[in-house]
Amino acid sequence: MLVEDTAWQPVWQNEIESSSFLRKAIIFGYGPIRPWMSIAHWLMWHFDLKKFRPNELPRVKISLACVFAFMAIGWPLIILQSGIAGWFKFWFMPWMVYHFWMSTFTMVHHTAPHIPFKSSKEWNAAQAQLNGTVHCSYPRWIEILCHDINVHVPHHISPRIPSYNLRAAHDSIKQNWGKYINEASWNWRLMKTILTTCHVYDKERYYVSFDELVPEESQPIRFLKKFMPDYA
């Protein structure tokens, strides 16, 4: 749903037109560094108490207290024992790997050139839960390590379904409403399509790429188009 959803919204035309600095930052953010954009989501959504309902605030404050407590205690201890290089190796790099994992999985789940974002007036809950996300198959060892997080459609039907029942739930959904399900297999062409075309919101075309709207500033997108593998 446009505006209301918190993750992987398309870019708005007025954001591209606002300022040169913001435009360049957005092009990099939705292009080369998109596999780490969950960091921006984390900073924008997880620390602003105004974005939570009143009954959620006590748990949110506990969560934030734990984060800041680790920063205040854990970081100095890591640096004391192993120096800045140890902090970089034992905290920062695992943190970046986690966000790469988180961003890449959720981006593939929620972004495809044929799946539109819709306004609240046009949005239909049942249709969106079945048809608005993507089930993506990965090599089996990745699916095992990630507890079948790629079996994504059941999660939108009901977040209460535990990971060990996701495949049974997906099979049931596919049996009953299979024609509405979007399925894909992870490959380089899939990633290249998302990173180079799924950018700016358009009601009719769903997405317009940066290099179509602002070609003179879309060098990062042209770089990806030229050098990313294109095999399925």
Side-chain angles (χ1 to χ4, degrees):
M1 187 190 297
L2 282 169
V3 181
E4 298 298 326
D5 269 329
T6 64
W8 301 116
Q9 288 275 333
V11 178
W12 290 91
Q13 181 84 27
N14 61 351
E15 293 175 318
I16 289 295
E17 297 171 349
S18 59
S19 74
S20 176
F21 175 80
L22 180 60
R23 181 163 55 249
K24 290 177 180 177
I26 290 173
I27 290 172
F28 267 98
Y30 276 72
I33 64 171
R34 200 169 186 171
W36 288 274
M37 277 295 282
S38 60
I39 296 173
H41 179 272
W42 176 70
L43 290 170
M44 291 170 60
W45 286 89
H46 290 218
F47 295 89
D48 188 350
L49 296 179
K50 296 191 295 293
K51 288 181 165 62
F52 297 92
R53 291 187 289 267
N55 65 319
E56 296 172 331
L57 288 178
R59 288 175 293 161
V60 173
K61 290 177 180 178
I62 292 172
S63 176
L64 293 180
C66 291
V67 171
F68 292 123
F70 179 83
M71 292 171 65
I73 300 171
W75 282 5
L77 287 176
I78 294 173
I79 294 170
L80 182 66
Q81 291 295 317
S82 57
I84 294 296
W87 175 87
F88 185 83
K89 181 168 62 174
F90 296 121
W91 184 83
F92 181 76
M93 288 307 297
W95 185 73
M96 291 293 286
V97 169
Y98 165 76
H99 275 289
F100 174 83
W101 168 83
M102 179 63 122
S103 297
T104 303
F105 267 93
T106 58
M107 174 177 65
V108 170
H109 287 159
H110 300 102
T111 313
H114 67 285
I115 299 178
F117 274 76
K118 296 184 178 182
S119 67
S120 57
K121 292 181 180 179
E122 301 173 301
W123 190 82
N124 175 276
Q127 183 185 41
Q129 312 309 358
L130 287 170
N131 190 240
T133 59
V134 178
H135 169 89
C136 186
S137 297
Y138 291 79
R140 187 67 186 124
W141 66 271
I142 293 179
E143 297 179 352
I144 292 171
L145 285 176
C146 296
H147 300 281
D148 289 334
I149 192 176
N150 59 297
V151 185
H152 187 65
V153 176
H155 157 77
H156 279 275
I157 302 297
S158 174
R160 295 175 180 270
I161 299 173
S163 62
Y164 52 81
N165 283 334
L166 284 174
R167 288 190 178 276
H170 179 79
D171 290 342
S172 177
I173 293 168
K174 191 173 178 179
Q175 182 178 348
N176 289 280
W177 298 288
K179 66 179 181 180
Y180 300 105
I181 304 298
N182 291 289
E183 292 187 299
S185 294
W186 191 93
N187 56 66
W188 282 107
R189 184 174 296 168
L190 174 69
M191 292 297 295
K192 187 174 185 177
T193 298
I194 293 172
L195 294 176
T196 61
T197 64
C198 297
H199 298 145
V200 182
Y201 171 72
D202 183 89
K203 185 175 175 61
E204 302 301 325
R205 297 165 57 190
Y206 306 157
Y207 289 100
V208 179
S209 65
F210 291 134
D211 59 346
E212 182 176 336
L213 293 175
V214 283
E216 68 283 356
E217 295 185 64
S218 296
Q219 296 91 340
I221 307 304
R222 290 197 295 274
F223 175 87
L224 293 176
K225 284 185 173 181
K226 183 174 181 180
F227 291 104
M228 280 189 75
D230 193 40
Y231 49 84

